[in-house]
Amino acid sequence: MSFDYEKFEKDLLLAVDEYAKSQLYNKDDMYIMSIEYFPDFTTFIAIRANTYSYLEEQVEEEDEDYTYYKYCEEEWDLYESLEEISSVLQDEYNKMEEKYDDDEFDELQTEHATKIIDVCKNVMKKFKETDTYKEFKKLYLNVYVREYFNEEETIQIFGELNGKDSIEEYSDWV
């Protein structure tokens, strides 16, 4: 494979930073942002985020479903598809599918998806060092790959990106 992971990481970091800049008017309300990656069937990447005001519209803090709405990316209000970056992933997926037999393709696609997930985590770590990130009151970060990680891995990623200050609440939700 000749996929340029370095360029992909730079492009994704730029997209995350630009998206966050576009949300600075929400800097006191937006509390979480996640890179969403779907490696199977079709390959795309997006950014999801949520605000406390939208969360409060969905559920009251005392409600037993509060943490579900707080942390479940699929329930969040803000969404940005990263079409150019997704098309690069889709092109690579198509090339591998054409070039390799099923077994080899599955193995290479799994390896590629793992590298992309690592890139997504690295991007969020690097984003935490940007001036844009520092503008937000408190912004949790995550990498969401639906039906890919087990509970322990999901919690580990969230903890790795955000430290220990909200891991207990997040763990209870997972």
Side-chain angles (χ1 to χ4, degrees):
M1 289 189 314
S2 62
F3 190 82
D4 190 343
Y5 293 100
E6 248 180 69
K7 179 177 179 352
F8 181 81
E9 185 171 318
K10 286 177 187 173
D11 292 346
L12 184 57
L13 179 58
L14 180 62
V16 166
D17 191 61
E18 286 176 358
Y19 178 78
K21 281 179 183 172
S22 77
Q23 296 298 318
L24 282 174
Y25 70 94
N26 263 337
K27 68 182 180 181
D28 293 333
D29 193 22
M30 196 165 102
Y31 68 91
I32 196 161
M33 186 171 72
S34 184
I35 296 174
E36 178 180 45
Y37 170 53
F38 287 86
D40 297 330
F41 306 119
T42 186
T43 305
F44 73 91
I45 233 167
I47 299 171
R48 287 192 179 263
N50 207 15
T51 60
Y52 285 115
S53 56
Y54 184 77
L55 176 62
E56 290 166 8
E57 288 174 21
Q58 305 310 304
V59 65
E60 293 181 14
E61 193 169 348
E62 304 80 35
D63 192 300
E64 65 181 47
D65 291 333
Y66 181 77
T67 56
Y68 169 77
Y69 284 93
K70 184 174 182 179
Y71 294 114
C72 180
E73 281 90 344
E74 294 172 19
E75 299 296 339
W76 296 351
D77 183 36
L78 305 170
Y79 178 85
E80 177 82 19
S81 176
L82 302 178
E83 293 179 20
E84 284 184 37
I85 293 173
S86 295
S87 70
V88 170
L89 289 174
Q90 187 63 53
D91 289 346
E92 182 66 13
Y93 182 93
N94 293 340
K95 286 177 192 173
M96 285 191 301
E97 195 172 44
E98 288 173 16
K99 189 173 181 178
Y100 300 103
D101 65 36
D102 288 346
D103 289 339
E104 203 172 16
F105 170 78
D106 289 344
E107 184 179 319
L108 288 172
Q109 176 56 14
T110 299
E111 182 182 310
H112 177 66
T114 300
K115 287 179 182 177
I116 294 297
I117 291 165
D118 288 342
V119 166
C120 292
K121 290 189 285 187
N122 287 339
V123 163
M124 287 309 219
K125 288 174 185 175
K126 288 179 179 180
F127 175 66
K128 283 182 84 167
E129 302 302 317
T130 67
D131 290 339
T132 306
Y133 175 81
K134 293 171 186 167
E135 288 282 324
F136 286 86
K137 183 177 177 180
K138 176 63 180 169
L139 186 61
Y140 295 110
L141 303 175
N142 204 13
V143 174
Y144 173 60
V145 186
R146 186 169 77 190
E147 299 173 10
Y148 194 84
F149 297 118
N150 64 34
E151 288 179 10
E152 187 177 301
E153 291 168 315
T154 301
I155 293 165
Q156 180 183 353
I157 291 169
F158 189 84
E160 195 176 310
L161 293 172
N162 299 293
K164 303 241 186 254
D165 75 343
S166 74
I167 198 70
E168 187 175 324
E169 182 181 61
Y170 187 81
S171 298
D172 289 346
W173 168 71
V174 171

